[in-house]
Amino acid sequence: MTPVRVLHFVTGGFSGGATQVAVQRVNAARESTAIEPLLVLRRKRHADPARIEELRRAGVPLELVAGWSPAATIAALVGVCKRFKPDVLVAHGFSEHLWGRYAGLLAKVPHLVHVEHNARERYTPWRRAQTRWLAQRTDRIVGCSEGVRQALLAMGMPAERTLAIPNGVRLEPLALSHAHPFAQRIPGIVMVARFSKQKDHATLLRAVALLRDRGLSPPLQFAGGGKDLHRKPLEKLAVELGIGAQVQFLGVVRDVPERLMAQQLAVLSTHYEGMPLALLEGMAAGCAVVGSAVPGVREVIEDGVDGLLVTESDPVAMADALERVVRNPDQAAVMAANARRIALERHGRALMNQRYEDLFLELALVGGSYMIA
């Protein structure tokens, strides 16, 4: 088989799931004889240079393009396309999927793929109009969950070319979660999420304060980066609620699997999602999971079977769910075991990688340029 050249274009901010998925896809393709990948990151002012250097040291084929204006980004990406000559250009996330596809059209890349990573994005009428125009010139539009696919269809994307490829997580770091029995874990809470408008750390803080009034004081760990603009008010809120001593703001940490496997609860309090990687990791880690009942999360959790769903932005509902887990450890252990089994069966990265590879090969074969030996 002649390898299919696939260029993945995504933000270089590293704060969201889009970059994680793009890196995963490139790394998976490096182990395949069918795909020759290239990762292109749009340079961000606040991006951590160490993360980029880490990818390079790991051998990830990587280029950076200008990020100070859309026009500069498009021009730089056109240059990369002319050098690399991709058969498929995959543009991940908002607004990179706009600039990436404009560059692909200008560089005459044979096949364009748009991957949407959230059920709700900051679309202005002008951006929405651009997205619809580009959709008519895009081979496939991929939602990272069925909920995202439905949101894309509601926005006017062509149904015959819009599909869902659910996100998957790397299961190997969590392979030993069965060696950490639920009853022997700390009855504490971990929430892995960047500090942003999308995530709802405040509701979880208020729920933990309500638990204190009910005689429960579980420790709470927030793991994730983000801007001081979003984190500082939450630190202040924890103190005002009188729970500052039981809340840790960890920042970006590299031992998330170990933290999850040491705790009983993994929580995702959020306003909207695509397919929440952090929640999938919590499930695979054998935690009892609690999530806001929003698109993306609703597809992951079957309420009462492998986790608990709570009304968005409702501290009382969140506190009730957390209390149910803490006060009923036997029932919580059953849900945690179900969650782990489902994560292993349905949400591994290998399945996601195979679906994307099949898509890229299908597009290349339809184009008529490649033949299977």
Side-chain angles (χ1 to χ4, degrees):
M1 180 189 297
T2 303
V4 175
R5 291 191 181 92
V6 180
L7 185 156
H8 291 268
F9 174 61
V10 69
T11 175
F14 293 98
S15 59
T19 308
Q20 293 183 51
V21 171
V23 172
Q24 290 169 10
R25 282 297 318 126
V26 169
N27 280 328
R30 292 169 61 200
E31 300 175 3
S32 169
T33 59
I35 304 292
E36 180 183 344
L38 177 65
L39 176 66
V40 181
L41 300 177
R42 184 184 185 198
R43 192 185 298 274
K44 304 288 282 193
R45 184 175 57 181
H46 300 294
D48 183 359
R51 297 290 298 276
I52 295 171
E53 184 58 30
E54 181 181 329
L55 292 175
R56 284 179 166 149
R57 285 199 307 268
V60 175
L62 167 67
E63 291 203 32
L64 295 174
V65 295
W68 55 272
S69 78
T73 297
I74 293 167
L77 186 54
V78 167
V80 174
C81 289
K82 289 183 176 179
R83 293 193 301 273
F84 182 64
K85 295 181 172 54
D87 304 292
V88 182
L89 186 153
V90 189
H92 294 264
F94 183 85
S95 300
E96 278 72 17
H97 72 73
L98 300 175
W99 323 137
R101 286 184 287 170
Y102 281 133
L105 289 172
L106 290 170
K108 295 181 169 54
V109 175
H111 302 288
L112 303 180
V113 176
H114 161 203
V115 182
E116 190 86 350
H117 291 269
N118 261 318
R120 189 192 310 170
E121 282 292 5
R122 305 175 303 280
Y123 281 101
T124 63
W126 172 231
R127 291 282 175 89
R128 189 175 292 108
Q130 292 180 73
T131 300
R132 289 171 178 161
W133 185 86
L134 286 164
Q136 302 307 315
R137 294 153 179 84
T138 301
D139 293 81
R140 294 293 185 275
I141 300 159
V142 180
C144 68
S145 70
E146 181 57 30
V148 175
R149 177 179 173 272
Q150 292 299 324
L152 288 165
L153 293 175
M155 199 167 64
M157 298 301 101
E160 70 279 5
R161 285 180 280 121
T162 303
L163 66 151
I165 299 181
N167 282 346
V169 295
R170 187 166 171 247
L171 298 173
E172 291 81 1
L174 301 162
L176 296 178
S177 58
H178 65 280
H180 300 265
F182 189 84
Q184 297 177 17
R185 299 183 181 200
I186 300 166
I189 302 165
V190 180
M191 177 166 160
V192 182
R194 73 187 185 279
F195 295 99
S196 67
K197 291 182 179 179
Q198 175 184 351
K199 310 300 181 181
D200 190 13
H201 298 78
T203 289
L204 180 53
L205 286 172
R206 293 187 174 97
V208 170
L210 291 173
L211 289 181
R212 179 201 55 198
D213 297 336
R214 302 177 189 182
L216 298 172
S217 299
L220 169 59
Q221 298 179 16
F222 286 133
K227 297 179 180 178
D228 289 348
L229 171 68
H230 301 296
R231 190 189 75 252
K232 292 292 187 183
L234 294 166
E235 293 175 342
K236 182 180 178 182
L237 178 62
V239 173
E240 292 173 347
L241 292 170
I243 58 172
Q246 68 191 83
V247 181
Q248 289 182 282
F249 291 83
L250 302 172
V252 176
V253 295
R254 308 306 292 270
D255 62 345
V256 167
E258 291 76 14
R259 290 180 182 276
L260 288 170
M261 289 186 289
Q263 308 290 323
Q264 289 187 344
L265 290 96
V267 175
L268 183 60
S269 181
T270 182
H271 297 299
Y272 59 93
E273 289 295 322
M275 174 64 83
L277 298 173
L279 199 60
L280 297 179
E281 290 176 343
M283 295 171 67
C287 296
V289 295
V290 178
S292 303
V294 298
V297 177
R298 289 200 300 262
E299 296 169 69
V300 172
I301 296 176
E302 184 177 354
D303 189 42
V305 176
D306 51 25
L308 297 175
L309 291 170
V310 300
T311 306
E312 177 191 353
S313 303
D314 188 337
V316 175
M318 178 67 75
D320 290 344
L322 298 176
E323 183 177 12
R324 177 177 170 183
V325 171
V326 175
R327 294 200 188 277
N328 300 278
D330 291 342
Q331 183 186 74
V334 172
M335 287 193 295
N338 289 339
R340 181 175 184 273
R341 174 179 53 79
I342 289 170
L344 296 179
E345 291 176 357
R346 304 179 188 173
H347 299 299
R349 188 180 294 180
L351 181 58
M352 174 191 74
N353 290 338
Q354 189 60 56
R355 288 169 171 166
Y356 272 108
E357 182 169 306
D358 290 346
L359 170 61
F360 301 150
L361 294 177
E362 175 194 350
L363 292 177
L365 288 169
V366 167
S369 300
Y370 293 85
M371 295 183 62
I372 301 296

